[in-house]
Amino acid sequence: MNNMHSVDPAWAWQPFEPTADQPWDRSTVAHLYRRSGFGMDLIRIDETVNRTPADVVKELVAGNRESTDFRSTADALAEATLAGGDAKKLSAAWVYRLLYTPNQLLEKTTLLWHGHFATGAEKVKDARMMWNQNQLLRDHALGDFGDLVHKISQDSAMLVYLDSVVNRKAHPNENFARELMELFCLGEGSYTEMDVLELARCFTGWEIKNKKFRKNRYQHDTETKTVLGQSGNFDGEDGVRIVLEQPAAPLFVARKLYRFFVSDEPNPTDAMLQPLADAFRESDLQVAPVVQRILGSNLFYSSISIGRKIKSPVELVLGMLRSLKATTNTQLVAKGLLNIGQGLFYPPNVKGWDGGRAWVNSSTLLGRANLVADILENEATRFDGKSLAEYLRDQGVRTTEQAIEHFEHCLLAVRLDEPTKTQIRQTVTSGSGDEERRMRSLLHAMTSLPICQLA
Amino acid sequence: MYISTNQSRRKFLRTTVGSAAAIGVGAALPKCFAEAASGRSNTTERILVVVQMSGGNDGLNTIVPYADDDYRSARPKLAIPTSDVMKCDDDNGFHPSMTGMHELLQDGKFAAVRNVGYEKPNRSHFESMDIWHTCRRKDEPRPDGWLGRFLDQQPLAAGGDVPALHLGREQQPAAIASTSIRVPTVNELAEFQLRGNDKQSLRKLLQNRQPTHSASENELLSFLQSSTTSAIAASQRVTEAASSYQSDVKYPQTELGNKLRVVAQLIDSGMNTRIYYVQHDGFDTHAQQDQTHTILLRQWSDAVSALVRDLEGHDHGKRVCVMTFSEFGRRVSENASEGTDHGAAGPMFLCGGGVKAGIVGKRPNLTDLQDGDLKHEYDFRQVYASVLKDWLGTDPSPVLGKEYASLPLFA
């Protein structure tokens, strides 16, 4: 089953049928919560085992809007940050959402689009613009992809980031036109250099004035353009529409969704993606049905998916916190994420985060362990309002053995083997200190293990 | 500077499993023991420092063809005024911010190769960078980079040192990806150590990890396990190596300056690492290029020249070469936003006591263009071939996949 070529694409995307080999149990439920969000506590995981996979996935996808209550609280917090104008602090406002949102899939998908339509605050420098873009991504995260692309093409932060603040007909700026095709919709190789030049002409006259999008008709090139085989006096909206009409578009986005939700490697074949791409096109590029299909599929609960992703920094840290109902200092988390390679609002470049093996190197591995240490030592860190030892006691955890098992169920995609468990026991028992100290030490050790970096 | 074999071996024996073996992956282990037994040390061997200008450097405004009228007419706003150019000869001069490089040239420690590119240039940052890193096109498999393939061929360094090191916050470049060796990334030295109350026991838990049974089925897990042991080992060795360094050379207080200072520290400490890789980002100057480019070139010129001076002062001047490249040059004509769009051929630079100083290559032909971009005169693999053969002393063709005529770049 590890060989993707032996998998039938039709079987792959059919609704998940639990089997003796792959039952619907703690492990598969935890997998669903880890991938569709950041993680869930063990009590909730156990409750979910008693429901059907299809119902659970349906409910997750249906949560495609924030509740008004949560939104007003989270927005108020962000507004307070925006008053200071510092984009660096915005990251913490997003961490708040990641930590408390009742709609984890929505937030996870917002993060996906942030990496897809990557825009960096380092260059944009305007916290308000960055935040507006973030809300745009959230509003469309599980909605209409075409609509999202149209709005992104007129988004101030994006256009500042890609140097398209002023686009004059005498010398059209190629940057946005190129990335629209290469990175946002089609992929390199699905267009020519001539298409870049011609598409750039469609966007002439588009500007950002006073932080707002507007069209300057005096700067728009009204001559005929030929983009991807179509000719006409196109403007920017036509350009985006033509790009979205390309057959390469649904396949390109399906590949992105696959990598994000299913596995880092190997790269899926076109044949494997085609059913998803077809469904995406048939639903007029609606994201939610495709995501629902993926999360409810046979493939998603197979060994091709489980344990076949490397946790992003957000997944590692928020996963640990949410799986143990923990809260902490959001600034500390935001800064820490930047240090280990996933600064929110600070993607490395317009291609976003490559993910997979690229999350990991010597520096980020040590950094991951260190960030968890910092969080565990921070006095703001509480577990359902309690100390870690108290929290675990309330869950019926009495011994080191039970604690190992508890963490294993909610944090690890792949079970520990006996030699590793023995080593962990030795690590914990060799340390001195009270119960709280020992439990934190155990949690730190387990989250630092290579196996815990797997999602 | 030479570390006695005995010392290297002692260090090796002390940290055998904890570091040396951990650097390699899987099958590299026995080879590593063999190296230790033969007792050879690489501390007198030559070192390559690679500086990557990310984003596409405007070569025409770096080495300026100031006497060319076509240059001025293509760039009414962005052309560097003749009076500002630091002239090298009757045709060419340096961007005014490159005083450090100008001094290196006068001292015989700077070389540039102009018009470097490749057939059918790709103007995507990412695709073009991949081509430079792997020497392969998109339709070919590319699991490793050119430096990674070089590393694969080298005997493992004695003393348990990492064969190559990437310094920086960015993602590791594909150029140093190897199928058998994990190259560590160091962000900041101070950060490159485990923290927390239980760091001793945690280090013990994470080092020497035997592959688990599930690792054999899951390649990602094997990758994570070898990366983790490598990280712990490299952290100990690098921290140890950098502790006693002193220098009179003032490095600029910039990210690149700080990274190159660490490179000097590690080289001087006697690490056997042969490849250091750093990135200098921000060259994607589509708008308001003038100011940004000036700052970027100054940062580069100041930092690299400080490194060359520093190494010279510590007697490593003749064994370290700094090579700078970018994924493409920029369009010959400026755009309406006072910037330049993605182009093709551009210059590469080599600095250090071993280079044959001067500018190689014709004056860029600004009238014979290909889609508005400079055509290339040299394939970038010719420069790599020269570096591999004449600097690192290895046969370039297995690394590059083909014979490439080398250039006279080293004295």
Side-chain angles (χ1 to χ4, degrees):
Chain A
M1 185 89 111
N2 290 332
N3 183 357
M4 184 164 341
H5 291 280
S6 63
V7 177
D8 172 13
W11 170 86
W13 304 116
Q14 267 160 19
F16 170 52
E17 295 286 349
T19 61
D21 271 354
Q22 205 60 286
W24 178 245
D25 60 4
R26 272 184 169 181
S27 159
T28 32
V29 169
H31 168 68
L32 171 63
Y33 280 131
R34 210 161 25 240
R35 294 296 185 79
S36 65
F38 306 98
M40 201 59 87
D41 64 277
L42 205 49
I43 292 179
R44 180 77 181 279
I45 289 173
D46 283 340
E47 283 167 10
T48 308
V49 171
N50 297 319
R51 304 176 59 203
T52 69
D55 280 353
V56 179
V57 171
K58 201 170 147 195
E59 188 184 276
L60 286 173
V61 174
N64 61 356
R65 288 258 180 251
E66 282 180 326
S67 73
T68 351
D69 280 356
F70 179 71
R71 181 158 210 155
S72 51
T73 314
D75 282 354
L77 200 92
E79 285 300 327
T81 313
L82 286 170
D86 179 2
K88 277 240 153 70
K89 292 197 178 129
L90 258 189
S91 308
W94 196 353
V95 169
Y96 176 87
R97 270 192 158 88
L98 297 170
L99 196 50
Y100 292 99
T101 181
N103 309 89
Q104 289 202 43
L105 176 61
L106 179 66
E107 219 46 45
K108 186 89 177 237
T109 318
T110 306
L111 190 59
L112 160 73
W113 298 129
H114 177 46
H116 186 80
F117 300 102
T119 304
E122 213 140 63
K123 179 159 175 181
V124 176
K125 291 194 178 79
D126 186 302
R128 170 73 61 185
M129 279 189 198
M130 291 302 294
W131 189 246
N132 289 347
Q133 187 192 73
N134 188 254
Q135 296 286 36
L136 172 69
L137 297 176
R138 186 169 293 107
D139 287 343
H140 292 77
L142 286 162
D144 184 326
F145 180 78
D147 207 13
L148 176 56
V149 178
H150 276 284
K151 294 220 159 76
I152 274 289
S153 72
Q154 304 185 347
D155 175 68
S156 344
M158 172 62 79
L159 295 185
V160 169
Y161 189 59
L162 291 183
D163 306 298
S164 293
V165 185
V166 192
N167 208 342
R168 299 194 185 99
K169 67 178 164 192
H171 287 276
N173 191 310
E174 292 171 19
N175 211 5
F176 179 73
R178 179 184 300 280
E179 305 310 7
L180 178 67
M181 291 192 287
E182 179 182 342
L183 300 174
F184 303 160
C185 297
L186 305 178
E188 210 264 329
S190 300
Y191 55 90
T192 65
E193 283 302 311
M194 192 49 80
D195 291 323
V196 175
L197 294 171
E198 294 286 288
L199 182 60
R201 292 176 56 211
C202 302
F203 293 115
T204 48
W206 286 25
E207 325 181 318
I208 302 297
K209 275 276 152 66
N210 300 322
K211 304 187 182 187
K212 291 218 159 51
F213 174 80
R214 70 163 201 183
K215 293 179 186 176
N216 177 345
R217 63 193 169 94
Y218 301 107
Q219 284 300 337
H220 181 66
D221 178 344
T222 53
E223 303 292 309
T224 299
K225 300 110 188 161
T226 302
V227 182
L228 296 158
Q230 298 188 38
S231 300
N233 169 19
F234 299 136
D235 62 11
E237 277 99 348
D238 296 319
V240 173
R241 173 181 53 76
I242 292 166
V243 168
L244 288 168
E245 279 167 12
Q246 299 303 303
L251 200 62
F252 179 74
V253 178
R255 189 174 296 277
K256 194 87 179 213
L257 293 170
Y258 182 100
R259 273 211 64 196
F260 192 76
F261 287 111
V262 180
S263 74
D264 284 328
E265 52 188 64
N267 206 346
T269 59
D270 285 0
M272 180 62 81
L273 295 173
Q274 203 57 54
L276 286 187
D278 292 344
F280 194 38
R281 177 63 82 203
E282 277 155 27
S283 70
D284 288 327
L285 307 185
Q286 292 295 319
V287 178
V290 184
V291 171
Q292 185 167 345
R293 182 100 176 251
I294 294 173
L295 297 179
S297 69
N298 279 322
L299 192 77
F300 182 75
Y301 297 96
S302 78
S303 61
I304 283 182
S305 175
I306 293 177
R308 302 287 160 158
K309 274 181 70 71
I310 291 180
K311 282 177 188 163
S312 69
V314 169
E315 288 170 327
L316 178 82
V317 175
L318 273 300
M320 176 190 84
L321 295 169
R322 294 209 64 141
S323 301
L324 300 168
K325 292 192 136 183
T327 51
T328 187
N329 181 328
T330 52
Q331 296 279 2
L332 170 70
V333 172
K335 203 164 153 248
L337 291 172
L338 180 66
N339 278 333
I340 56 173
Q342 200 181 16
L344 299 170
F345 298 106
Y346 292 86
N349 54 51
V350 62
K351 194 167 55 144
W353 295 279
D354 274 358
R357 295 185 187 217
W359 286 128
V360 161
N361 58 50
S362 299
S363 206
T364 54
L365 277 175
L366 296 175
R368 283 174 178 226
N370 287 339
L371 177 55
V372 171
D374 292 347
I375 291 172
L376 291 177
E377 276 163 32
N378 191 284
E379 56 189 24
T381 306
R382 306 290 286 168
F383 298 81
D384 202 12
K386 313 174 184 84
S387 73
L388 179 60
E390 280 175 301
Y391 170 77
L392 288 170
R393 263 201 310 276
D394 285 359
Q395 310 275 312
V397 173
R398 295 277 178 274
T399 63
T400 304
E401 208 54 44
Q402 289 170 331
I404 292 177
E405 201 181 327
H406 187 98
F407 294 147
E408 197 179 2
H409 280 301
C410 39
L411 301 176
L412 267 51
V414 176
R415 299 300 297 264
L416 292 172
D417 55 13
E418 261 323 304
T420 307
K421 277 193 189 168
T422 309
Q423 270 186 298
I424 295 173
R425 280 181 216 114
Q426 283 164 357
T427 303
V428 178
T429 47
S430 69
S432 55
D434 57 7
E435 194 191 0
E436 178 65 13
R437 183 80 268 142
R438 274 193 298 117
M439 287 303 148
R440 289 186 185 198
S441 194
L442 177 64
L443 180 57
H444 186 206
M446 283 186 69
T447 46
S448 305
L449 285 172
I451 207 167
C452 190
Q453 314 312 307
L454 284 179
Chain B
M1 162 111 228
Y2 184 81
I3 287 197
S4 78
T5 312
N6 273 345
Q7 192 193 338
S8 295
R9 291 183 76 184
R10 261 207 317 279
K11 235 170 210 162
F12 179 86
L13 292 172
R14 187 154 47 89
T15 55
T16 302
V17 185
S19 73
I23 304 302
V25 183
L29 186 67
K31 193 169 153 196
C32 173
F33 277 103
E35 283 313 317
S38 77
R40 59 185 278 194
S41 164
N42 290 331
T43 38
T44 52
E45 287 207 82
R46 284 166 168 179
I47 291 170
L48 177 70
V49 180
V50 180
V51 179
Q52 170 180 312
M53 291 173 159
S54 307
N57 175 42
D58 184 6
L60 279 180
N61 272 14
T62 308
I63 300 202
V64 185
Y66 68 90
D68 191 334
D69 291 338
D70 294 322
Y71 166 69
R72 293 197 184 280
S73 54
R75 299 183 161 194
K77 293 204 171 107
L78 287 184
I80 313 281
T82 305
S83 54
D84 292 354
V85 172
M86 279 186 294
K87 291 172 187 152
C88 305
D89 55 40
D90 292 343
D91 291 319
N92 309 296
F94 283 180
H95 185 283
S97 64
M98 287 163 50
T99 46
M101 289 302 179
H102 199 242
E103 282 165 28
L104 286 187
L105 177 68
Q106 285 163 343
D107 289 357
K109 298 186 175 76
F110 174 95
V113 190
R114 292 203 288 200
N115 314 314
V116 186
Y118 53 90
E119 286 297 323
K120 296 201 194 103
N122 190 303
R123 289 165 187 80
S124 150
H125 294 293
F126 310 105
E127 181 52 26
S128 191
M129 198 55 103
D130 282 349
I131 291 169
W132 279 82
H133 281 170
T134 63
C135 304
R136 306 258 191 274
R137 300 299 294 224
K138 200 180 189 174
D139 49 4
E140 302 166 280
R142 31 188 196 194
D144 48 21
W146 73 284
L147 291 167
R149 290 194 292 274
F150 162 74
L151 296 174
D152 285 342
Q153 293 183 349
Q154 299 304 302
L156 273 180
D161 286 329
V162 292
L165 204 60
H166 165 234
L167 285 127
R169 191 179 284 282
E170 320 84 7
Q171 187 177 314
Q172 209 169 75
I176 49 173
S178 137
T179 46
S180 64
I181 289 164
R182 294 272 174 273
V183 175
T185 288
V186 177
N187 185 354
E188 277 172 58
L189 283 183
E191 292 282 313
F192 198 55
Q193 303 171 41
L194 283 177
R195 279 200 299 271
N197 293 326
D198 37 21
K199 62 185 173 197
Q200 302 295 353
S201 56
L202 185 60
R203 185 182 301 132
K204 248 175 91 185
L205 177 70
L206 296 180
Q207 76 189 7
N208 313 338
R209 290 204 55 74
Q210 299 302 313
T212 58
H213 64 87
S214 26
S216 53
E217 303 155 20
N218 188 330
E219 279 180 34
L220 281 179
L221 184 53
S222 314
F223 166 79
L224 285 163
Q225 289 183 333
S226 59
S227 300
T228 304
T229 41
S230 162
I232 297 291
S235 147
Q236 277 177 291
R237 182 68 182 110
V238 166
T239 308
E240 215 171 88
S243 54
S244 63
Y245 182 73
Q246 292 201 326
S247 171
D248 299 331
V249 171
K250 267 207 159 34
Y251 283 82
Q253 296 292 312
T254 57
E255 219 175 296
L256 186 64
N258 293 336
K259 285 181 200 170
L260 293 184
R261 188 173 189 283
V262 173
V263 170
Q265 246 172 307
L266 297 175
I267 290 174
D268 191 56
S269 73
M271 291 241 306
N272 293 306
T273 305
R274 294 194 69 193
I275 309 287
Y276 292 90
Y277 202 109
V278 301
Q279 300 177 36
H280 183 30
D281 195 8
F283 286 87
D284 194 20
T285 47
H286 285 276
Q288 311 300 321
Q289 174 176 299
D290 180 28
Q291 209 191 350
T292 311
H293 198 229
T294 299
I295 294 168
L296 289 169
L297 287 181
R298 178 176 296 123
Q299 290 174 341
W300 168 68
S301 167
D302 288 356
V304 172
S305 54
L307 174 68
V308 171
R309 302 266 174 242
D310 191 11
L311 291 169
E312 214 169 89
H314 286 83
D315 285 337
H316 308 296
K318 288 248 183 281
R319 66 182 198 104
V320 182
C321 171
V322 185
M323 183 188 94
T324 305
F325 80 101
S326 191
E327 71 265 39
F328 41 62
R330 304 195 77 80
R331 190 71 38 90
V332 171
S333 312
E334 65 190 29
N335 64 23
S337 324
E338 293 176 39
T340 50
D341 294 319
H342 300 183
M348 287 178 76
F349 311 95
L350 297 162
C351 303
V355 307
K356 191 168 168 189
I359 298 175
V360 176
K362 300 192 191 93
R363 193 175 84 184
N365 187 334
L366 304 190
T367 49
D368 179 25
L369 302 176
Q370 149 190 319
D371 302 330
D373 294 333
L374 296 176
K375 289 182 178 171
H376 74 276
E377 179 184 356
Y378 301 108
D379 190 287
F380 68 91
R381 281 155 287 208
Q382 289 184 259
V383 180
Y384 288 180
S386 318
V387 169
L388 288 164
K389 181 163 154 271
D390 298 333
W391 186 251
L392 296 172
T394 194
D395 178 8
S397 29
V399 173
L400 303 177
K402 203 174 117 181
E403 289 284 345
Y404 286 90
S406 60
L407 304 167
L409 300 176
F410 297 96

